[in-house]
Amino acid sequence: MMAQYLSLKAEAQDCLLFYRMGDFFELFFDDARIASGVLDIALTARGEHDGAKIPMCGVPVHAATGYLQRLIKVGHRVAIAEQTESPEAARKARGSKALVGRAIVRVVTAGTLTEEALLDSRAANWCAAIAEAGGGTAIAAADISTGEFLVIETSRAGLAAELARLGAAEVIAPEDAAIAEHATGSRPRADFDSARGEARLKALHGVATLDAFGTLSRAGLAAAGGLIAYLDHTAKGALPFLRPPRVAASAQVMAIDAATRESLELCVASGGARAGSLLDAVDRTVTGAGARLLGQDIAAPLMDRAAIDERLALVQHFYDDAGARERLRGALRALPDIGRALGRLAAGRGSPRDLGQLRDGLDGAWRLAEALAHTPEPPALLAALLPTLRGHGALIDLLTRALVPAPPIDASAGGYIAAGYDAALDDLRDAGAGGRRAIAALEAEYRTRTGTPTLKIRHNGVLGYHIEVPARAADALLAADSGFTHRQTLAGVVRFNAPELHEVAAKVAHAGAHALAAEAAHLEELVAAALAQREVIARTADALARIDVAAGLAERAAESGWARPRLVDHACFEVEGGRHPVVEAAVAKSGGRFVANDCRLSEDARLWLVTGPNMGGKSTFLRQNALIAVLAQAGSFVPATSATLGLVDRLFSRVGASDNLARGRSTFMVEMVETAAILAQATPRSFVILDEVGRGTSTYDGLAIAWAVVEAIHEDNRCRCLFATHYHELTRLAERCDALSLHHVRAREWKGELVLLHEVADGPADRSYGLAVARLAGLPPATIRRAKSVLDRLESGRAKTGGLAAGLDDLPLFAAAAQAEEAKAVDALREELARTDVDALSPREALELVYRLKGLAAES
């Protein structure tokens, strides 16, 4: 046995191996040590290998799902080695001491889950592959729980942002590839060959050409091929359901890098949970599929204005009719998740209950289509979706006739095929039922014959049907002429058999086995019938999810008075009465009122410089406007009185940062890296929010960096930008930057106390209120007094010398300054050379001169 185990373990490689032994999955050696620690189960030992006891632990097969969930959650992969034959078949084929055959039937990983208990019903579960070929980079991603398959054409620079958007549970890359740093695992390079990828896609979908799927680059084919090969490896040849790939390009959606997603908490909050995120604050969907689709919409806001308007029109339709919306949401709430039921059936892990869910879900979709068909002048998107809700009549009828109303999850006990569907099966069931009635009659007869009212006929997997009596009443049955045969003595009971019981039990077992086999054959036929229509069923699931998203967004808009945004082609950002949806909900929960603010960015005022005290609401104001842009392009109403927005191609947020110790980066380094990315990538159609740039270093360095960044955004990037700062000296830029507008969050001191008004007003702040905020935060009075005296001294010195602002009025603008600095560096080199008497230099002095000139060049 151990030789068989070690052979399977070598095949499993870095996976933990679940080795099936009867009713348990056993783990040995290091696998057992790891699993016992994670699962908090006993670590034991048995036998010997290489002169030492073999560590082992095990989990019951019937409870394996829960243990798998815990192992996968902490990052482990698990190979399942099942028995491929029964002990009886092994003995018959290879003798009485034959070892039962086993094989790895599946590798369970974070990205290849289909089990209901292992998945979050309200989040997609992507498995992704990344590849480079032909000078391009691409991602192939699949959610095998629903069959969704994407191929995203991107670039190496944009790869991290696209992976952040997907939030894939697992990412694989070719071995030793330059992009492998983005992956969680690797596979052989041969799996990522573009020609093989093309062949795999054609074979998977049974087509001679891929033209119908869109234009796939060599990189896209390589990534798709690598993903299919990996899924085939984990499923051990039983590929899961994959729909035809949907090809997308990065330019089709708003570009949002990983740092911005984290900063804005789009789909997960800072702690990694969904609660507290924008998605959580917006989500009013009533189905798991709707919640998953809404998450994808928010993660990837559209750049197609027509498609956005179609989504908004559908939301508007449900927003306008509260009664119809409530009826629709009630109908959707009752529907099962047919997308994931279909995924389980296609993966070979389905159950009769999944077929029942398809039946009920498709029937519910048909009824929903009938109700919505009477809509006068339906929005274009609704009109396009309605036909996909119909067309399943034959399958619904088949499953309705074949299945009981509430099919079980476990098929092994039968009982899921409805009476009347198969006459032969009904006869077998009747025979089994007649046998059980005969057994009940025998029990009554035996009680009378033996005078033992406590006699019972029982059944177990070892003895089958048998007679059981208390030990004190066993003498009558043990008598030689009793007609009963002794089988087993236990503490307190004795078990017997009898010829009549054996005969009746054989008939019951025979009928039962045949009935189970007949039901299993019908189950196989029904699954095949459902999978034959899997593409159209998947489209129905998509349509239900889209309708749920629109109705949920309409419900959310109605709750809080959100407005439909108007999208325009020119780069503007006009929001009246904007709010932060997450903060507003938190404030309302505590009994407060959120203060709404306007934001009007235009060509003449595309850069707002926002000053004011800490805790005054600057960061909230910046974030809420970025979130409004995301929601609008995702196809949602927005938390504002009105909004007119130009499409945003790239969204950047540099709001707050923390040390990245794992990568050796301080807060300031993280801030500079993110700011550098903004200056390198922002376009005139981008939207940027920057908060306190430069605060992580010395005052002079920080002010200099902030000053240069503001100028660069104004002069070079020319994008819409909200820039919050405590450097009041930056307000002087308004005199020379014609598209820069000054604003501040209002605050007042009243009777020694700071009152934060959270209102954004025109003009710069009168002062920073830093000491007032420190007092509000609870700094000791003595510390506050000392800080006040130091501040007085500093301000006095600044008044005499010009302080931080000294000389700033004489600075030229960004472009002119760059030219001046370049000229200054060149002049310094010329001056040094002009002073040098070359003929008088010794060899050592000449070497020193070269080093000096290199130093001057480096300073430039």
Side-chain angles (χ1 to χ4, degrees), residues 294-334:
L294 178 62
Q296 292 175 42
D297 288 350
I298 288 177
L302 298 177
M303 283 299 295
D304 184 338
R305 183 179 158 193
I308 298 169
D309 282 332
E310 280 190 350
R311 289 185 185 179
L312 290 171
L314 187 56
V315 176
Q316 183 78 59
H317 172 74
F318 294 129
Y319 179 86
D320 291 340
D321 192 339
R325 182 175 74 245
E326 187 54 40
R327 290 190 296 273
L328 170 68
R329 284 163 56 78
L332 287 169
R333 191 178 282 110

Side-chain angles (χ1 to χ4, degrees), residues 21-327:
M21 294 179 67
D23 292 333
F24 277 78
F25 283 121
E26 300 289 355
L27 298 99
F28 300 98
F29 301 107
D30 288 343
D31 287 2
R33 295 187 183 96
I34 293 168
S36 65
V38 174
L39 303 176
D40 194 24
I41 56 178
L43 181 67
T44 60
R46 62 173 288 179
E48 284 192 2
H49 181 71
D50 291 340
K53 288 284 187 180
I54 301 172
M56 67 174 293
C57 65
V59 300
V61 170
H62 69 85
T65 298
Y67 292 108
L68 278 173
Q69 183 179 35
R70 291 163 65 183
L71 290 168
I72 297 299
K73 190 173 183 179
V74 297
H76 293 293
R77 304 162 74 240
V78 181
I80 307 292
E82 281 282 5
Q83 296 175 181
T84 56
E85 60 182 349
S86 67
E88 293 78 13
R91 286 193 292 269
K92 185 176 179 180
R94 298 185 296 281
S96 60
K97 296 185 178 180
L99 182 65
V100 174
R102 293 177 176 85
I104 295 176
V105 298
R106 180 188 174 198
V107 177
V108 185
T109 69
T112 59
L113 303 175
T114 57
E115 289 83 353
E116 207 168 359
L118 300 181
L119 290 169
D120 180 353
S121 65
R122 302 184 72 79
N125 192 62
W126 295 105
C127 182
I130 55 179
E132 290 184 310
T137 305
I139 304 168
D143 182 348
I144 68 167
S145 69
T146 60
E148 191 165 1
F149 190 9
L150 301 174
V151 176
I152 304 168
E153 304 286 351
T154 182
S155 63
R156 184 181 289 190
L159 184 61
E162 288 298 327
L163 289 173
R165 170 170 73 84
L166 281 172
E170 194 171 2
V171 180
I172 60 165
E175 289 174 333
D176 303 321
I179 55 176
E181 62 175 322
H182 299 286
T184 59
S186 62
R187 296 290 297 160
R189 277 187 172 274
D191 287 353
F192 293 83
D193 179 79
S194 60
R196 289 186 184 181
E198 182 176 3
R200 286 190 180 109
L201 274 174
K202 289 177 178 177
L204 177 65
H205 296 289
V207 295
T209 175
L210 301 178
D211 292 348
F213 302 155
T215 303
L216 282 161
S217 68
R218 283 186 58 201
L221 291 169
L227 180 61
I228 294 170
Y230 179 66
L231 295 177
D232 189 50
H233 162 73
T234 58
K236 295 302 172 184
L239 258 178
F241 167 45
L242 292 178
R243 299 168 67 180
R246 187 157 50 86
V247 183
S250 298
Q252 294 174 351
V253 298
M254 182 192 293
I256 310 174
D257 61 27
T260 298
R261 290 180 188 279
E262 183 179 352
S263 169
L264 296 178
E265 301 176 299
L266 294 184
C267 294
V268 292
S270 56
R274 193 176 191 266
S277 67
L278 173 66
L279 175 59
D280 183 58
V282 171
D283 189 4
R284 295 297 183 271
T285 56
V286 294
T287 69
R292 296 194 296 270
L293 182 58
L294 178 62
Q296 292 175 42
D297 288 350
I298 288 177
L302 298 177
M303 283 299 295
D304 184 338
R305 183 179 158 193
I308 298 169
D309 282 332
E310 280 190 350
R311 289 185 185 179
L312 290 171
L314 187 56
V315 176
Q316 183 78 59
H317 172 74
F318 294 129
Y319 179 86
D320 291 340
D321 192 339
R325 182 175 74 245
E326 187 54 40
R327 290 190 296 273

Side-chain angles (χ1 to χ4, degrees), residues 479-714:
D481 58 350
S482 67
F484 296 98
T485 303
H486 176 258
R487 295 296 306 277
Q488 191 176 43
T489 299
L490 300 174
V493 297
V494 183
R495 291 170 174 172
F496 300 86
N497 204 346
E500 304 97 323
L501 176 60
H502 179 74
E503 183 178 342
V504 174
K507 292 179 180 178
V508 171
H510 181 77
H514 279 70
L516 285 176
E519 287 203 71
H522 285 311
L523 179 63
E524 191 173 331
E525 293 167 0
L526 294 172
V527 169
L531 294 182
Q533 299 185 40
R534 56 190 179 186
E535 295 294 343
V536 290
I537 293 173
R539 286 197 289 272
T540 299
D542 290 346
L544 290 171
R546 176 55 64 198
I547 291 171
D548 184 26
V549 167
L553 290 174
E555 181 74 13
R556 183 67 183 91
E559 281 179 14
S560 302
W562 290 11
R564 177 176 176 173
R566 186 170 71 91
L567 297 170
V568 296
D569 292 325
H570 59 282
C572 71
F573 197 91
E574 299 173 5
V575 174
E576 182 180 342
R579 289 113 61 199
H580 191 302
V582 180
V583 177
E584 183 180 27
V587 170
K589 193 174 291 186
S590 63
R593 182 182 67 86
F594 187 89
V595 178
N597 281 295
D598 300 345
C599 181
R600 291 186 174 85
L601 301 176
S602 62
E603 186 58 35
D604 296 333
R606 63 177 181 270
L607 196 164
W608 276 26
L609 195 67
V610 185
T611 54
N614 284 318
M615 299 174 60
K618 297 193 301 298
S619 296
T620 299
F621 176 69
L622 268 58
R623 282 189 172 100
Q624 76 188 33
N625 286 292
L627 297 183
I628 285 171
V630 169
L631 288 173
Q633 289 182 222
S636 169
F637 282 24
V638 297
T641 304
S642 68
T644 301
L645 311 174
L647 289 178
V648 173
D649 66 346
R650 292 173 176 270
L651 180 67
F652 295 98
S653 170
R654 229 284 344 135
V655 181
S658 58
D659 288 354
N660 190 336
L661 299 180
R663 301 184 66 178
R665 290 177 173 176
S666 66
T667 301
F668 182 65
M669 183 61 175
V670 171
E671 175 185 315
M672 289 298 99
V673 167
E674 294 175 4
T675 304
I678 293 169
L679 296 180
Q681 300 174 40
T683 74
R685 298 183 70 196
S686 300
F687 188 83
V688 175
I689 60 172
L690 290 162
D691 191 12
E692 306 296 350
V693 170
R695 65 181 168 182
T697 186
S698 73
T699 305
Y700 285 100
D701 282 355
L703 173 58
I705 291 169
W707 185 286
V709 168
V710 171
E711 285 191 343
I713 287 175
H714 183 275

